[in-house]
Amino acid sequence: MFKGLYLQETRRAWRGHPKFRLAAGAAAILLTASGGALAQGVSQRPAAEERSAQTAAVLPGEPLSLVQAIELALEGNPEVAAATRQFEATEGQVLQGRSRPNPELAYSLEDARSQTRTQSWQLNLPVELGGKRAARTKAAEKSREQAQAQLAELKATVRANVAAAYFDVLTAQERLALARDSAALAKSSTDTVAKRVAAGKVSPVEESKARVAEAGVRVELAQAASEQRNALSRLFALFGRIDAPFTFLEGKAESLPSVPSIADLQPLISSSPGVVLARIEVDRRKALTDLEQSKRVPDVTVSVGMQRSNETQRNVLLFGVSVPLPVFDRNQGNLLEALKLEDKARDELQAATVRLHSEVAQARERLSTIIAEVQSLKQDVLPGAKSAYDAATIGFENGKFNFLEVLDAQRTYFTAKSQYLKALGEAHRAAADIDRLLGASMVSGLIATQH
């Protein structure tokens, strides 16, 4: 008891000593500094690197270009990620196809009595004949090429979808700006009519018509804002995100794509993702046919072992060869199925080529027609409608036209402008369809990524 009290008093004495307090404080500072540095090095540094990697692509407040949008979609799209995993999984098929069959260890016991017991140990080694391993490996490699072609086709589709959605957002922004201008003009017209009614120059019925027209324009403004939000949501979904850090898009919807000639597009069909995928399917089916053909050759099993007889006290070397006799099962059914599926793949390749020629020609014709419509609206319709609307507005302010004529001119102008914006969106979608059919890297500059 006294010993314990003495030790406690000794500890208290050392705690109160200045050197002890100084050492303890230094140790605490060192532990705190080292712990903080370790925590920063372990936890904060990867987090900072991750944040910098995420913000390196698109910084908040910067405009998002079409090229950056495509890069974000290819990096974050869930379907592209799943197709990439599928392509990586096919490497296991190639690895498994190169594997050789495992040897087999067999043991047998004859007669349970120890005096007359005979024991045998045998190692059986299968030997594949007929080129089975090479055929199996080639079929697995073709499956890997097929997965890679599917990934390329999916990336081309995502790229085209991003381009279409990107220009849909730009078009929706233009439509929203048009609706805002229309709402401002309607509000100005209503104020002008109200002033003229107060002055006794026009009937109060004109003011009621103006306010009804203004209410209709506000409804169109709400619809335009909703279309813009929906277009942004579709674009964000292609990124694999709910929202995005950027605030506005770069470029204008009026940046029209060029119309390639049909002679330039037709040679690119043979290297398009759809035709390449169908051609790889033919090669894969041919490899599977060769694999089924190789299975018609029976494999040989070589056996080596030793037999021990307790009765004679002798060891006997065992050697054997076994070969299955292909009398009933010659793999004829599987070979017939493989041959027919190979013929089917060739027919599908021909069908894909013909279909792609037709779809490319239709998309190109649609693009040419829509661009001609856009140019006609821009050069002929819009200037005339805008001039008529301005003249009607000035005439109404000077008392030469009534408000119905102003409304009719305003409706004509904004209808033509909406038709122009709709044609712009259709033109970009037609260009994206051509890009999707021929591949993301086939038609350089078809989608207006440089604008």
Side-chain angles (χ1 to χ4, degrees):
M1 177 177 180
F2 293 103
K3 183 178 181 180
L5 291 174
Y6 174 77
L7 290 176
Q8 291 177 3
E9 294 296 333
T10 305
R11 294 192 188 98
R12 293 192 187 98
W14 274 105
R15 288 194 186 100
H17 198 275
K19 293 183 178 180
F20 180 82
R21 289 198 303 269
L22 180 62
I29 293 174
L30 289 175
L31 288 175
T32 304
S34 62
L38 181 61
Q40 291 180 357
V42 173
S43 61
Q44 296 181 4
R45 188 173 300 170
E49 293 177 356
E50 183 178 358
R51 286 194 300 268
S52 63
Q54 291 177 354
T55 57
V58 181
L59 294 176
E62 291 187 357
L64 179 72
S65 65
L66 179 56
V67 175
Q68 291 175 332
I70 293 174
E71 292 177 355
L72 286 175
L74 294 180
E75 292 175 359
N77 189 273
E79 295 182 0
V80 174
T84 304
R85 298 294 181 268
Q86 179 65 32
F87 169 65
E88 294 172 353
T90 55
E91 187 65 31
Q93 298 182 12
V94 179
L95 182 62
Q96 187 64 31
R98 295 171 181 171
S99 301
R100 299 181 182 274
N102 294 323
E104 177 184 345
L105 180 62
Y107 170 78
S108 62
L109 175 65
E110 299 179 9
D111 198 347
R113 293 174 297 179
S114 60
Q115 293 82 4
T116 58
R117 180 181 301 169
T118 301
Q119 302 180 72
S120 300
W121 293 268
Q122 191 170 344
L123 181 65
N124 302 323
L125 180 62
V127 179
E128 290 184 318
L129 301 178
K132 293 184 180 64
R133 181 168 174 264
R136 187 171 60 248
T137 304
K138 184 177 180 181
E141 291 174 350
K142 292 300 177 182
S143 297
R144 180 176 59 184
E145 293 180 10
Q146 185 183 42
Q148 187 176 11
Q150 290 174 348
L151 177 60
E153 185 181 31
L154 180 60
K155 286 183 176 180
T157 302
V158 170
R159 180 179 186 270
N161 292 339
V162 169
Y166 186 89
F167 285 104
D168 283 344
V169 174
L170 290 179
T171 306
Q173 290 177 352
E174 294 288 340
R175 190 177 292 110
L176 180 60
L178 175 64
R180 287 172 178 169
D181 294 340
S182 178
L185 290 174
K187 182 67 171 57
S188 177
S189 300
T190 302
D191 295 340
T192 302
V193 172
K195 292 178 181 179
R196 297 189 66 183
V197 170
K201 295 182 179 181
V202 295
S203 171
V205 177
E206 299 291 333
E207 183 179 358
S208 299
K209 294 178 181 179
R211 295 192 183 281
V212 171
E214 182 183 356
V217 171
R218 286 199 300 267
V219 171
E220 293 179 357
L221 176 61
Q223 292 177 350
S226 177
E227 290 179 3
Q228 185 200 24
R229 290 191 295 268
N230 291 335
L232 283 173
S233 178
R234 290 192 296 269
L235 183 61
F236 296 160
L238 293 172
F239 298 159
R241 300 180 179 180
I242 301 177
D243 54 3
F246 60 87
T247 56
F248 58 95
L249 302 185
E250 186 181 65
K252 296 182 179 180
E254 296 181 354
S255 302
L256 290 175
S258 59
V259 182
S261 63
I262 195 67
D264 295 335
L265 295 179
Q266 294 294 340
L268 300 176
I269 293 178
S270 59
S271 56
S272 62
V275 174
V276 170
L277 184 60
R279 189 181 300 116
I280 292 177
E281 176 64 16
V282 173
D283 297 338
R284 190 178 75 89
R285 287 297 175 183
K286 180 65 171 60
L288 291 176
T289 301
D290 296 339
L291 178 60
E292 298 299 335
Q293 183 70 33
S294 66
K295 291 180 181 179
R296 295 171 63 89
V297 179
D299 296 335
V300 176
T301 302
V302 179
S303 303
V304 178
M306 184 189 68
Q307 187 180 68
R308 171 69 178 180
S309 176
N310 292 349
E311 185 177 2
T312 59
Q313 295 296 316
R314 293 181 58 187
N315 296 329
V316 180
L317 180 64
L318 300 178
F319 178 79
V321 177
S322 63
V323 180
L325 300 178
V327 177
F328 304 106
D329 183 9
R330 299 186 300 276
N331 203 36
Q332 61 272 23
N334 293 332
L335 179 59
L336 178 62
E337 180 186 9
L339 289 171
K340 295 303 180 183
L341 291 177
E342 182 182 348
D343 295 337
K344 177 189 174 184
R346 297 182 189 278
D347 295 337
E348 290 176 347
L349 173 60
Q350 181 66 21
T353 304
V354 174
R355 182 177 64 253
L356 198 59
H357 275 276
S358 176
E359 291 179 354
V360 168
Q362 293 177 23
R364 188 262 173 195
E365 184 64 27
R366 187 169 68 255
L367 176 62
S368 176
T369 303
I370 294 173
I371 287 184
E373 178 184 356
V374 169
Q375 293 175 351
S376 177
L377 288 171
K378 184 178 181 180
Q379 297 174 3
D380 301 330
V381 178
L382 285 179
K386 185 67 168 58
S387 177
Y389 173 67
D390 293 339
T393 302
I394 296 174
F396 173 74
E397 293 176 354
N398 295 327
K400 296 181 179 180
F401 299 106
N402 57 26
F403 188 67
L404 289 178
E405 293 175 338
V406 177
L407 285 178
D408 184 65
Q410 181 182 2
R411 190 179 300 109
T412 301
Y413 170 67
F414 285 107
T415 300
K417 186 71 173 180
S418 298
Q419 184 179 1
Y420 171 71
L421 293 176
K422 181 179 179 182
L424 284 177
E426 292 293 334
H428 290 294
R429 279 190 288 271
D433 286 340
I434 298 177
D435 190 81
R436 173 182 57 82
L437 293 171
L438 296 181
S441 60
M442 292 296 103
V443 187
S444 177
L446 179 60
I447 295 179
T449 56
Q450 69 273 12
H451 299 292

